[in-house]
Amino acid sequence: MSKFWSPVVRELEPYVPGEQPQIDGLIKLNTNESPYPPSPKVIDLITHDAIERLRLYPDPNSKKLKNTIATYYSVKAEQVFVGNGSDEVLALLFMAFFQQGKPLLFPDISYSFYPVYCKLFGIEEKTIPLRADYTIDFADYPTDNGGIIFPNPNAPTAIGKPLAEIEALLQRNTESVVVVDEAYVDFGAETAITLVDKYPNLLVVQTLSKSRSLAGMRVGLAVGHKDLIDALDRVKNSFNSYPLDRIAEAATIVAFEDDVYFKTCRDKIIATREWTISELEKLGFKVLPSQANFVFAEPVGKNAAEVAQHLRDNKILVRYFNKPRINQFLRITIGTDEQMQAMIDALKNI
């Protein structure tokens, strides 16, 4: 520990991302990436002219991309914010909205970046336990708070909340910002973007890393009332005026415009997920209901850490969390049919 560190750095417990191995031949089912490439139209973007223009700064406001997203979701461009991955968008909104002197509320089993940001930005946090069935119950969330944030579907459980329940929360929680983190929404849940015109305290965050196969581009977005977007812009322009490079912006526009390709890949992943759940249950696994591109599965009668190691020994990576309440579960990303068959075959050998 360096004597030059700021005090806050000494106290941080950084977010630990899923392993990105440098070993050939691994089946990688640990970080919820898409098993399919981006739209083929992305290839057409990598022209000599596009590369030559990389010497120039991109549009700091990403106007073309915001217009594309606004058209796709039937909102106004002034209601859209974009950033360098949804993690950056989340970091900026933590600064913009949650330093309120009251606790930020989020589930006790959820995206583990939330408590990291709270520590980094000096935000008081209060975790609300999931119910025994690993679901979020909004009745447990008091209205005296400095904000509420939750993923829908939740991670790592993969369980989604109906839009009607989210709206009921918004109807009673009117004095603080509610953030719905929709990283996995395209795989079975319903977006809350349809509610942003009714509730000025609602902010919806999405990523291009999962259902649109652009994890390597690092693009995230938020949609909400213009006043919320203005606050995000103020923070962004005090931190990083050019969060998206030219090619990332162009690739994201293509990802939204090529809706047929997006839906084809999404539907393949959903079908493979349902097959995987069925096969895991045949092997005695308990699998939580999934509306994501992964499943959260408990190998009943077996130690989850040992099962994860067995799969790794067979060159298959899944995610294991050594944390209370979930240390007997595995989070398994949905890959191609062939990859999931290989995983099932490896599990049958235990």
Side-chain angles (χ1 to χ4, degrees):
M1 186 177 292
S2 173
K3 67 178 181 179
F4 302 111
W5 289 6
S6 299
V8 67
V9 176
R10 296 174 185 272
E11 299 175 4
L12 287 178
E13 294 183 15
Y15 172 76
V16 179
E19 180 184 358
Q20 295 289 348
Q22 306 300 314
I23 304 170
D24 292 335
L26 283 177
I27 295 177
K28 193 169 177 299
L29 307 176
N30 66 323
T31 49
N32 300 341
E33 296 144 321
S34 174
Y36 303 110
S39 166
K41 296 180 181 179
V42 171
I43 297 173
D44 299 333
L45 303 174
I46 315 300
T47 64
H48 177 79
D49 180 65
I51 294 171
E52 193 275 335
R53 290 174 66 82
L54 289 178
R55 65 185 176 82
L56 303 173
Y57 283 113
D59 174 10
N61 293 315
S62 301
K63 291 180 181 177
K64 290 182 180 179
L65 175 55
K66 288 180 179 179
N67 285 330
T68 299
I69 295 169
T71 298
Y72 190 88
Y73 283 118
S74 300
V75 296
K76 298 176 182 178
E78 64 187 21
Q79 294 176 279
V80 179
F81 179 85
V82 295
N84 186 238
S86 62
D87 286 336
E88 181 184 75
V89 175
L90 290 169
L92 298 179
L93 70 85
F94 267 67
M95 285 189 279
F97 306 118
F98 294 153
Q99 295 175 319
Q100 299 285 359
K102 291 183 178 182
L104 172 65
L105 310 182
F106 52 86
D108 65 334
I109 300 172
S110 191
Y111 187 29
S112 53
F113 233 136
Y114 299 160
V116 174
Y117 285 145
C118 286
K119 179 70 72 174
L120 181 62
F121 300 129
I123 298 168
E124 182 184 355
E125 65 181 82
K126 181 179 180 182
T127 57
I128 309 297
L130 297 183
R131 291 299 177 96
D133 61 356
Y134 297 97
T135 60
I136 297 171
D137 191 334
F138 294 130
D140 298 333
Y141 286 66
T143 55
D144 185 18
N145 61 67
I148 296 174
I149 186 170
F150 59 91
N152 190 49
N154 195 15
T157 65
I159 302 174
K161 295 296 290 181
L163 194 61
E165 292 188 27
I166 294 174
E167 183 165 20
L169 170 68
L170 290 162
Q171 288 171 344
R172 67 182 184 82
N173 192 93
T174 60
E175 302 304 310
S176 67
V177 172
V178 175
V179 176
V180 185
D181 187 352
E182 294 187 343
Y184 305 101
V185 71
D186 292 322
F187 299 104
E190 188 176 0
T191 182
I193 289 176
T194 56
L195 300 177
V196 296
D197 286 335
K198 293 177 63 177
Y199 301 97
N201 63 325
L202 169 63
L203 193 68
V204 180
V205 177
Q206 292 189 358
T207 177
L208 277 286
S209 297
K210 314 300 182 183
S211 61
R212 297 183 189 273
S213 306
L214 287 176
M217 281 294 186
R218 313 307 307 127
V219 182
L221 63 96
V223 180
H225 191 279
K226 181 182 181 298
D227 289 349
L228 300 184
I229 302 304
D230 287 347
L232 284 174
D233 279 329
R234 288 172 67 90
V235 176
K236 186 266 287 187
N237 290 326
S238 302
F239 178 73
N240 180 8
S241 297
Y242 303 95
L244 290 189
D245 65 70
R246 288 175 171 273
I247 294 177
E249 180 173 357
T252 305
I253 290 172
V254 168
F256 276 104
E257 290 179 343
D258 195 353
D259 206 40
V260 172
Y261 182 82
F262 154 69
K263 290 177 179 177
T264 299
C265 293
R266 178 203 62 191
D267 292 347
K268 285 182 182 178
I269 291 169
I270 291 172
T272 305
R273 179 189 70 200
E274 297 308 302
W275 177 88
T276 301
I277 291 172
S278 176
E279 293 299 307
L280 286 171
E281 290 176 341
K282 291 176 185 177
L283 293 176
F285 279 70
K286 173 187 175 182
V287 185
L288 299 187
S290 176
Q291 292 174 283
N293 69 333
F294 61 90
V295 296
F296 207 47
E298 179 183 4
V300 178
K302 299 287 184 181
N303 181 277
E306 293 176 359
V307 174
Q309 184 59 52
H310 170 82
L311 289 172
R312 187 184 179 87
D313 293 342
N314 283 267
K315 293 191 173 183
I316 301 170
L317 279 185
V318 298
R319 192 80 189 267
Y320 170 71
F321 299 93
N322 189 15
K323 295 182 178 181
R325 293 186 69 189
I326 59 172
N327 61 4
Q328 286 305 313
F329 282 84
L330 301 175
R331 194 192 70 186
I332 304 169
T333 302
I334 301 302
T336 63
D337 291 343
E338 293 77 15
Q339 289 173 330
M340 304 317 292
Q341 183 66 66
M343 183 199 68
I344 294 297
D345 291 342
L347 289 173
K348 287 179 180 178
N349 292 329
I350 299 179

